[in-house]
Amino acid sequence: MAEPAVDYAAVFQALPGAVALVTPQLIVADANAEFLRLRGLPRERVVNSFIPEDLPDNDSAEPLLLKVLASLRRSADTGERTVVAVQHFEMKDPDQPGVWHERYYTVTNVPVFGADGRVALLLQRLEDVTELIRAREVALTLQEAMLPTPRPVCRHPTAVRYRPAAEALNVAGDWYDLVDLPGDRVAVAVGDVVGHGLAAACVMGQLRSALTAASLVPEGPARALEVLGLYARTIDGAENTTVATAFVDWENDTITYSSAGHPPPALLRSDGRVGFLDQATDPPLAARPQHGPRTQAVAPFREGSVLVLYTDGLIERRGEDIDTGLTRLADSLTRHRGEDPQALADAVLGDLLPPGDATDDTALVVVGL
């Protein structure tokens, strides 16, 4: 039985993604209907055009053009797929003269080889990700609105940082909090809801508020996490949330702490030694079949020490043991000992999370003792 003939030209035009064929000399050889629709141009304006002359004259066109050209040339020279990450672009409204709309695009260039093994064409895929970027912005705005506004706590210097992941659409459920307690005391907490997106951010907001209230009970951090654990069992998506909380008491120079499956707080001493507060760790919230009491422990400190709480995005890397990340954190804290909390927070993030390198959201709290 003969194989049915395939009209590849018709398939190319019917593809739901926006694709064009470009020669190594940067001439557009063909473009499908979706590509023309995204460009907002008729076929005769696109096909057979020289790409450097193809984009409209506006402030956002040149940076995008330069990156697209570099990507095309790299694919033509190396025979490898290249990607232009999310780029901002202003597009003219075809129905409203003088009106421009903000758009975001990603561009992928894939080499197509000829019979001689050389790059004959480049398949260029254009993807409009504007709505996804807007959804991310809304989610990040909501998430940040749920986090407390940085403010002085008691009379002691503190620093808080929140670093979103590098992935363009990653929104998670990390949080931090600082709560003034009676006397010269403060409750510090960080937590991490499993999952990403608006659902995780909403769960985070509920748990953070509940822990703030629970921290005001006089029994201490273990009791606060017990109350939070009971509450977590009533919220879809709250199970297996990790939390670490510490009550700092400057009258007695002690830290009373408790952890629900969270990486241990770090205590940087004035001589540069770093210890991890890991003597009171229980399972994450709502992870046990039955609710039960939680443990807490007490660690003394001396003036000049620094307490550091963080979420796992700061220390964890794929394929790496957590102890490696803890060692990296300890080394950074030791190198920057003597810095005030604001400078220390920035230095730690700079050491452990270079720009564009974060694969998970990170919350960080630094308290000068």
Side-chain angles (χ1 to χ4, degrees):
M1 182 177 179
E3 295 183 0
V6 178
D7 187 344
Y8 286 102
V11 172
F12 177 77
Q13 288 299 325
L15 288 173
V19 291
L21 292 174
V22 182
T23 70
Q25 294 75 38
L26 307 183
I27 302 295
V28 180
D30 201 356
N32 74 349
E34 181 63 12
F35 190 93
L36 298 175
R37 187 190 70 80
L38 284 187
R39 290 295 313 278
L41 294 173
R43 181 177 177 81
E44 57 269 20
R45 286 279 306 278
V46 176
V47 176
N48 296 323
S49 66
F50 183 44
I51 285 185
E53 301 174 348
D54 187 41
L55 294 179
D57 183 18
N58 67 73
D59 292 341
S60 67
E62 185 175 357
L64 176 61
L65 174 60
L66 292 176
K67 291 178 180 179
V68 169
L69 290 176
S71 177
L72 283 166
R73 288 175 177 137
R74 190 160 62 251
S75 287
D77 292 342
T78 66
E80 297 178 353
R81 176 192 302 242
T82 59
V83 177
V84 179
V86 177
Q87 297 294 314
H88 170 261
F89 184 71
E90 296 289 334
M91 179 169 285
K92 185 183 297 184
D93 190 319
D95 301 320
Q96 302 181 68
V99 176
W100 297 78
H101 296 293
E102 182 180 62
R103 309 300 296 177
Y104 292 87
Y105 293 96
T106 62
V107 182
T108 304
N109 296 307
V110 182
V112 179
F113 298 94
D116 59 359
R118 295 183 178 183
V119 175
L121 289 169
L122 297 162
L123 179 68
Q124 183 176 87
R125 182 174 184 267
L126 179 64
E127 185 176 7
D128 186 340
V129 294
T130 305
E131 296 308 316
L132 294 177
I133 294 298
R134 288 174 178 166
R136 168 178 166 76
E137 290 171 354
V138 170
L140 285 176
T141 299
L142 173 62
Q143 186 178 33
E144 291 174 0
M146 292 178 178
L147 295 173
T149 301
R151 65 189 190 282
V153 178
C154 300
R155 59 180 176 82
H156 306 282
T158 62
V160 296
R161 298 289 186 271
Y162 173 74
R163 177 77 65 84
E167 284 89 346
L169 301 175
N170 187 26
V171 179
D174 292 31
W175 88 84
Y176 60 82
D177 204 2
L178 295 143
V179 182
D180 286 314
L181 300 177
D184 195 7
R185 298 188 304 144
V186 65
V188 189
V190 292
D192 187 359
V193 175
V194 175
H196 302 283
L198 283 174
C202 290
V203 172
M204 175 271 287
Q206 295 177 78
L207 293 179
R208 187 193 70 79
S209 297
L211 183 57
T212 298
S215 296
L216 297 174
V217 300
E219 289 87 349
R223 180 57 179 162
L225 288 185
E226 286 179 32
V227 173
L228 185 65
L230 281 172
Y231 181 59
R233 291 178 182 273
T234 71
I235 302 174
D236 290 340
E239 61 277 0
N240 293 314
T241 293
T242 66
V243 188
T245 183
F247 287 19
V248 184
D249 184 343
W250 280 273
E251 294 177 353
N252 298 303
D253 291 340
T254 59
I255 302 168
T256 306
Y257 63 94
S258 185
S259 173
H262 200 82
L267 181 60
L268 170 63
R269 304 184 190 280
S270 56
D271 63 1
R273 291 181 298 123
V274 175
F276 289 99
L277 307 184
D278 57 4
Q279 299 303 302
T281 299
D282 292 310
L285 301 181
R288 293 166 167 162
Q290 301 294 326
H291 180 73
R294 292 186 175 272
T295 59
Q296 64 184 35
V298 179
F301 68 83
R302 292 183 178 178
E303 184 176 355
S305 299
V306 178
L307 177 65
V308 180
L309 282 78
Y310 52 92
T311 54
D312 59 8
L314 184 68
I315 61 167
E316 290 189 354
R317 302 292 181 271
R318 292 187 182 96
E320 183 179 271
D321 188 271
I322 189 173
D323 288 339
T324 303
L326 292 175
T327 299
R328 188 164 47 237
L329 172 59
D331 290 344
S332 177
L333 291 173
T334 298
R335 281 198 306 275
H336 301 291
R337 67 183 181 278
E339 300 278 7
D340 64 74
Q342 297 292 340
L344 181 59
D346 290 336
V348 168
L349 287 180
D351 287 347
L352 274 66
L353 295 179
D357 193 44
T359 58
D360 194 3
D361 287 18
T362 297
L364 174 68
V365 182
V366 179
V367 181
L369 304 176

